[in-house]
Amino acid sequence: LQQHRPYHESDHVLNIAFNILCGGQTLDDIELRRGDPIYLDALDATSIPDPTTAGDFCRRFAADDVNRLMDAFNETRLDVWARQGQALTRETARIDVDGSLVPTTGECKEGMALSYKGVWGYHPLIVSLANTAEPLFIVNRSGNRPSYEEAPSYLDKAIALCRRAGFKDVLLRGDTDFSMTAHLDRWSADGVRFVFGYDVKKNLKEI
């Protein structure tokens, strides 16, 4: 305590990631890692943030911070994809989008809400590249939010990322919730193909 040596943001992020990789399921499991000399030696660390500090960091880690972290991941993906040469990018970039209901046992967690299925929890948006099974963007939302919320902006980001990687053909895929007519024309004009489900409405059936 006589010398101020704060943890970097990367220390906190890696601390949580390594805890998960070693079988931890909650932040409290970090305490097991802190007392494991073999674990600390493997990381070449004399100490790691304790669970309370990790929890405080998570509460301070805002949406903008999460977006910057995802952008950092995706910049690294570009390098990894480039090492595969044209074997990857000559394919069609198949970008999948979906919402996933995630129940939680907490009763007072910030942002959680009751889903349409009557489950308390969250409803994150997941935008992934099916070619490599990689999640490109994960956007946390409360459980009562519709699947399509915020989807257009993150699909645009995924399209831009895949084109930077060298994909010439981009295909968006999703269920009926993602047939957002306000965006279909501009995607089509931009050369983006899409396969979305569409609600079986009476007038559509007649057409």
Side-chain angles (χ1 to χ4, degrees):
L1 296 178
Q2 294 177 353
Q3 184 177 1
H4 182 56
R5 298 175 62 187
Y7 291 110
H8 295 287
E9 286 190 348
S10 56
D11 293 326
H12 289 290
V13 172
L14 288 171
N15 185 39
I16 295 170
F18 287 145
N19 177 50
I20 296 171
L21 288 173
C22 291
Q25 298 186 9
T26 69
L27 293 182
D28 286 337
D29 293 328
I30 292 175
E31 191 62 40
L32 298 175
R33 316 279 95 82
R34 281 169 52 83
D36 186 344
I38 298 176
Y39 177 82
L40 295 175
D41 184 59
L43 297 184
D44 192 24
T46 56
S47 65
I48 59 175
D50 66 18
T52 303
T53 305
D56 181 65
F57 171 75
C58 288
R59 287 185 287 273
R60 296 170 186 263
F61 205 69
D64 287 343
D65 300 313
V66 173
N67 284 325
R68 283 196 293 270
L69 181 61
M70 288 192 293
D71 288 341
F73 287 155
N74 286 330
E75 287 297 322
T76 303
R77 286 188 215 281
L78 291 175
D79 293 336
V80 174
W81 293 346
R83 295 180 187 181
Q84 300 181 45
Q86 296 183 351
L88 176 64
T89 56
R90 72 164 60 103
E91 301 177 15
T92 296
R94 300 185 302 278
I95 300 173
D96 290 342
V97 59
D98 202 3
S100 178
L101 292 175
V102 179
T104 179
T105 55
E107 297 181 356
C108 301
K109 290 186 178 179
E110 182 179 356
M112 63 180 288
L114 191 65
S115 73
Y116 70 94
K117 290 186 175 181
V119 177
W120 282 99
Y122 298 92
H123 191 190
L125 174 74
I126 302 172
V127 179
S128 60
L129 182 66
N131 305 57
T132 58
E134 292 175 276
L136 304 179
F137 298 98
I138 300 176
V139 186
N140 199 21
R141 306 169 301 184
S142 61
N144 61 353
R145 304 314 304 157
S147 290
Y148 60 82
E149 187 170 85
E150 299 187 69
S153 62
Y154 283 96
L155 284 172
D156 288 340
K157 289 183 178 182
I159 293 167
L161 180 70
C162 289
R163 284 181 167 166
R164 284 181 60 197
F167 286 98
K168 303 302 182 185
D169 185 39
V170 178
L171 174 68
L172 308 181
R173 306 189 301 191
D175 61 24
T176 57
D177 287 323
F178 299 97
S179 290
M180 299 165 286
T181 55
H183 303 278
L184 299 184
D185 284 343
R186 69 176 180 84
W187 281 330
S188 181
D190 192 32
V192 175
R193 299 186 297 130
F194 44 83
V195 178
F196 296 127
Y198 209 87
D199 291 329
V200 184
K201 297 180 180 179
K202 182 178 179 181
N203 62 334
L204 181 62
K205 289 177 66 176
E206 291 174 351
I207 292 172

